[in-house]
Amino acid sequence: MSFLPLPFLSARPVAINSLSSLSKIQLFSDALQQLILARANFSIDSHQLSDFTDLMIDLPSSIGNSVSNRQAEYLAGRYLAYLAMQQSGLFLPAPPQIGIGLLRAPIWPKAITGSITHHQYSASAVVLTQPLSANSFVGIDTELWLTAHQAREISESIHSHYELHLLTSAGFTSAQATTLLFSAKEALFKAICPFVGEYFGFDSVELRECYEYPDNAAFAGRCGWLKLQITTNWVAARAPQKKYHCWFSCSDADVLTLTFSERVFNILCQRGHRSI
């Protein structure tokens, strides 16, 4: 987790409560703090229910009755969202609690919009310091790399042969390509869920292009943009855009993906002095 997840973000200092179940907490933002990203590892083995009290995070009854790993990932995601909102400076004396809403999506305060993700030991939260609108939305996802066997079992429900070919031609293995597309389409779903209001299949979204930065020297650190397009009519009719840019950042263990509105994408690329 030492690499910079997005080249247009800078690291920020983090003042946190000491807790054995959370480690490697990192905070990033752009220069104007319009986009803030928080990341951390969490330990299911070290998690205790008292951690919610220690971090002042509400424990919903549905989570309190869940298994320990669900409690640990929920706490990590909500606490990282708290840190990101705190960094924004929009909430005094402290950010509000984030509830559970439609399709289990977080309920964000009206001043911002955001997204939360986790896999079995890592969590991330991203916040845009603007109200949710057709010009301001974001979705985030992180996935551990699938094994070749896992990828073969789900590949038909994730992508077409054409989409797979685009990424394998770029140097990804079939398993890596399936993982990356799963994550990218999940991030897109989270981004437009408030507008679409229903679940839709991954076959409603198609990969059209993959752009990588040419100075990527190794797989851990590969990063770039995927261009995605909605291909199902009823989803496109409700979605704020038809075409999307999804950022990806690879580490040895996992991949991080973020999907933005076109307005946010253009702002970030301009500040990062990048274009595609």
Side-chain angles (χ1 to χ4, degrees):
M1 292 183 59
S2 60
F3 68 96
L4 190 65
L6 294 92
F8 34 76
L9 298 185
S10 299
R12 300 287 184 238
V14 185
I16 60 171
N17 294 333
S18 178
L19 200 67
S20 61
S21 61
L22 285 172
S23 62
K24 297 184 179 179
I25 297 179
Q26 295 176 296
L27 199 61
F28 307 89
S29 79
D30 68 323
L32 297 180
Q33 296 197 145
Q34 291 193 16
L35 185 142
I36 303 169
L37 173 68
R39 306 190 72 193
N41 287 349
F42 63 90
S43 169
I44 296 173
D45 294 336
S46 301
H47 170 72
Q48 303 179 61
L49 276 179
S50 60
D51 292 345
F52 282 89
T53 302
D54 293 340
L55 296 180
M56 295 182 290
I57 300 297
D58 284 352
L59 176 62
S61 58
S62 60
I63 302 300
N65 294 327
S66 298
V67 295
S68 182
N69 65 318
R70 175 62 182 134
Q71 294 169 358
E73 64 193 23
Y74 180 90
L75 175 66
R78 265 25 183 210
Y79 183 60
L80 291 174
Y82 175 91
L83 291 178
M85 290 191 294
Q86 186 180 55
Q87 177 70 28
S88 74
L90 294 176
F91 304 99
L92 297 174
Q97 298 288 329
I98 300 174
I100 304 173
L102 177 69
L103 305 183
R104 298 190 299 171
I107 301 175
W108 299 93
K110 292 183 179 180
I112 64 168
T113 184
S115 184
I116 298 172
T117 186
H118 49 74
H119 55 61
Q120 68 184 42
Y121 63 80
S122 179
S124 299
V126 63
V127 164
L128 288 176
T129 55
Q130 303 146 17
L132 176 69
S133 71
N135 291 319
S136 178
F137 57 84
V138 64
I140 189 170
D141 187 70
T142 184
E143 302 291 337
L144 293 170
W145 295 109
L146 296 169
T147 66
H149 175 71
Q150 290 170 329
R152 283 193 298 271
E153 287 191 325
I154 67 169
S155 61
E156 289 187 4
S157 64
I158 305 303
H159 52 68
S160 65
H161 292 298
Y162 166 77
E163 294 174 283
L164 180 64
H165 176 71
L166 279 178
L167 291 184
T168 55
S169 296
F172 292 95
T173 68
S174 293
Q176 290 165 352
T178 299
T179 310
L180 177 53
L181 280 169
F182 180 97
S183 185
K185 294 184 180 186
E186 185 69 16
L188 174 57
F189 169 77
K190 292 180 179 181
I192 66 175
C193 171
F195 305 95
V196 177
E198 294 182 44
Y199 289 112
F200 55 87
F202 284 170
D203 57 353
S204 294
V205 180
E206 186 176 89
L207 173 69
R208 292 298 173 88
E209 190 175 338
C210 174
Y211 173 88
E212 284 194 86
Y213 289 156
D215 54 353
N216 290 339
F219 177 72
R222 288 185 75 168
C223 57
W225 296 99
L226 303 178
K227 288 187 177 181
L228 303 173
Q229 181 168 330
I230 295 178
T231 56
T232 299
N233 290 338
W234 75 266
V235 180
R238 299 183 188 182
Q241 300 171 189
K242 188 174 182 180
K243 298 180 180 180
Y244 299 85
H245 289 93
C246 180
W247 172 260
F248 69 89
S249 183
C250 303
S251 75
D252 285 330
D254 57 16
V255 61
L256 176 76
T257 54
L258 292 109
T259 298
F260 310 94
S261 63
E262 194 67 16
R263 175 181 173 275
V264 173
F265 166 76
N266 288 332
I267 291 172
L268 293 174
C269 281
Q270 182 178 7
R271 291 195 184 130
H273 305 290
R274 304 279 189 173
S275 62
I276 61 174

